Amino acid sequence: MANDDLTAMDSESNVPRHIAIIMDGNGRWAQKRFMPRTVGHQAGVKAVRKIVEYCATHNVEVLTLFAFSSENWRRPEAEVSLLMSLFMATLQREINKLDRNSIRLRFIGDRSAFSEKLQQKMAEGEAQTQNNKALTLVVAANYGGHWDICQAFLQMQEKMAVGELKKEDINEQLINQYLSTADLPEPDLFIRTGGEQRVSNFMLWQLAYTELYFTTTLWPDFDQNSLEDAIKSFRSRQRRFGHTGEQVLNKSVTL
Ligand code: IPE
Ligand code: IPE
Ligand code: MG
């Protein structure tokens, strides 16, 4: 095998299976250019395209993008309304493209707050791409970690009420099965752009052992090189899940 092949192989190994990103900094990106925040959101969509493309071609299994939080309704009405139109327009434009590239689209979050039309488009996008195998693209829309845990409890309570679930059945694995991410691996790498070092109610349960990476790069400027830097940082870390560093090094434990 030529050296080049080895390098290529090495660079593909230890790729995070699931990357979850808080795409933050659109507003500031625009404001720095004396433009309305909405221009930043439009630029943000372009950045999404590049990152999805990278993940789909580099063996990432799941990419979760935080697009709109359950708290983002608190923004000025005009901005919320622009975000909704942008969401709709992006879906209309991109679903076929995602499908052609064998990407499976999924949404997590409370979609009942969206317009009927948007909900319909979301369902359409999921149905059209459901059997695709290249990458699962999870868009978190009107998502909150508190909401996710709460809806899981409500579902469990309903099952308990009809006797399909007993108190003794409840454990961590079971709770996991009722979360919106039940069928997905836990995120390996969390990225937040835009300089804030907080989780902002994103995947609270799921991030328990995720490697966290923060960058001051504003989301519209976050490109494939920036993602590679984040993956490089991920690769340099030793994940221990409670074990000692020696146990992990000796491979005497399975992680
Ligand atoms: C993230 O960028 C996008 C959404 C929350 C929809 P922001 O709009 O939060 O950008 P900043 O943080 O104000 O710069
Ligand atoms: C988090 O960003 C939500 C999304 C990126 C969709 P925010 O900009 O809303 O987060 P806070 O309010 O500054 O914590
Ligand atoms: Mg922000």
Side-chain angles (χ1 to χ4, degrees), residues 10-15 230-238:
D10 281 345
S11 69
E12 291 299 314
S13 64
N14 198 15
V15 172
I231 294 175
K232 229 175 267 167
S233 165
F234 170 80
R235 283 203 184 105
S236 73
R237 302 179 189 190
Q238 185 190 49

Side-chain angles (χ1 to χ4, degrees), residues 22-24 66-69 72 75 192 196 198 200:
I22 298 189
M23 311 182 287
D24 196 20
F66 203 5
F68 191 85
S69 78
N72 285 146
R75 294 190 176 200
R192 182 174 188 144
E196 311 298 350
R198 54 177 174 252
S200 300

Side-chain angles (χ1 to χ4, degrees), residues 7 15 18 21 36 72 83 122 128 138 151 187 215 235 250:
T7 322
V15 172
H18 182 172
I21 307 182
N72 285 146
L83 284 167
M122 290 162 80
Q128 186 179 334
V138 182
Q151 66 79 29
T215 170
R235 283 203 184 105
N250 297 340

Side-chain angles (χ1 to χ4, degrees), residues 71-121:
E71 288 72 37
N72 285 146
W73 300 105
R74 298 172 184 162
R75 294 190 176 200
E77 218 179 293
E79 180 166 342
V80 170
S81 149
L82 177 282
L83 284 167
M84 293 302 138
S85 324
L86 193 60
F87 191 22
M88 186 69 187
T90 307
L91 291 182
Q92 279 166 341
R93 205 181 45 235
E94 302 291 333
I95 288 173
N96 284 336
K97 233 179 279 174
L98 292 175
D99 195 20
R100 275 200 301 279
N101 288 297
S102 212
I103 294 167
R104 178 168 73 129
L105 181 62
R106 276 270 304 273
F107 296 96
I108 55 171
D110 180 4
R111 52 182 93 186
S112 68
F114 295 132
S115 72
E116 282 295 326
K117 229 177 116 199
L118 189 50
Q119 288 185 52
Q120 204 184 321
K121 196 80 208 159

Side-chain angles (χ1 to χ4, degrees), residues 15-243:
V15 172
R17 281 181 76 189
H18 182 172
I19 301 177
I21 307 182
I22 298 189
M23 311 182 287
D24 196 20
N26 292 349
R28 280 165 284 161
W29 184 91
Q31 281 160 343
K32 258 177 50 184
R33 289 164 177 75
F34 306 102
M35 293 193 287
R37 295 174 55 84
T38 51
V39 176
H41 295 312
Q42 280 153 352
V45 174
K46 289 193 184 141
V48 168
R49 208 173 292 135
K50 281 183 277 174
I51 296 310
V52 170
E53 206 179 285
Y54 182 96
C55 290
T57 51
H58 287 76
N59 296 326
V60 175
E61 274 174 52
V62 184
L63 171 66
T64 300
L65 299 176
F66 203 5
F68 191 85
S69 78
S70 43
E71 288 72 37
N72 285 146
W73 300 105
R74 298 172 184 162
R75 294 190 176 200
E77 218 179 293
E79 180 166 342
V80 170
S81 149
L82 177 282
L83 284 167
M84 293 302 138
S85 324
L86 193 60
F87 191 22
M88 186 69 187
T90 307
L91 291 182
Q92 279 166 341
R93 205 181 45 235
E94 302 291 333
I95 288 173
N96 284 336
K97 233 179 279 174
L98 292 175
D99 195 20
R100 275 200 301 279
N101 288 297
S102 212
I103 294 167
R104 178 168 73 129
L105 181 62
R106 276 270 304 273
F107 296 96
I108 55 171
D110 180 4
R111 52 182 93 186
S112 68
F114 295 132
S115 72
E116 282 295 326
K117 229 177 116 199
L118 189 50
Q119 288 185 52
Q120 204 184 321
K121 196 80 208 159
M122 290 162 80
E124 233 175 82
E126 287 180 324
Q128 186 179 334
T129 62
Q130 65 181 340
N131 297 319
N132 290 346
K133 299 275 185 300
L135 167 77
T136 298
L137 172 61
V138 182
V139 176
N142 193 20
Y143 178 87
H146 287 170
W147 166 84
D148 204 356
I149 295 167
C150 197
Q151 66 79 29
F153 283 9
L154 286 170
Q155 280 190 65
M156 287 192 288
Q157 197 278 332
E158 275 171 20
K159 292 234 163 160
M160 282 179 128
V162 293
E164 284 175 25
L165 199 64
K166 295 187 296 293
K167 181 176 162 231
E168 306 79 73
D169 298 330
I170 295 183
N171 55 35
E172 294 177 17
Q173 280 73 28
L174 187 93
I175 294 173
N176 210 33
Q177 283 167 29
Y178 285 90
L179 294 173
S180 59
T181 49
D183 56 331
L184 305 172
E186 272 158 21
D188 300 296
L189 172 61
F190 159 101
I191 299 170
R192 182 174 188 144
T193 63
E196 311 298 350
Q197 302 197 3
R198 54 177 174 252
V199 179
S200 300
N201 197 14
F202 186 44
M203 299 184 106
L204 298 179
W205 174 282
Q206 296 89 337
L207 291 176
Y209 256 111
T210 305
E211 295 297 327
L212 307 181
Y213 180 87
F214 297 95
T215 170
T216 53
T217 303
L218 301 173
W219 176 251
D221 293 327
F222 192 83
D223 61 11
Q224 305 199 340
N225 288 329
S226 322
L227 179 56
E228 272 178 354
D229 286 345
I231 294 175
K232 229 175 267 167
S233 165
F234 170 80
R235 283 203 184 105
S236 73
R237 302 179 189 190
Q238 185 190 49
R239 302 186 79 187
R240 290 195 280 273
F241 299 96
H243 297 289

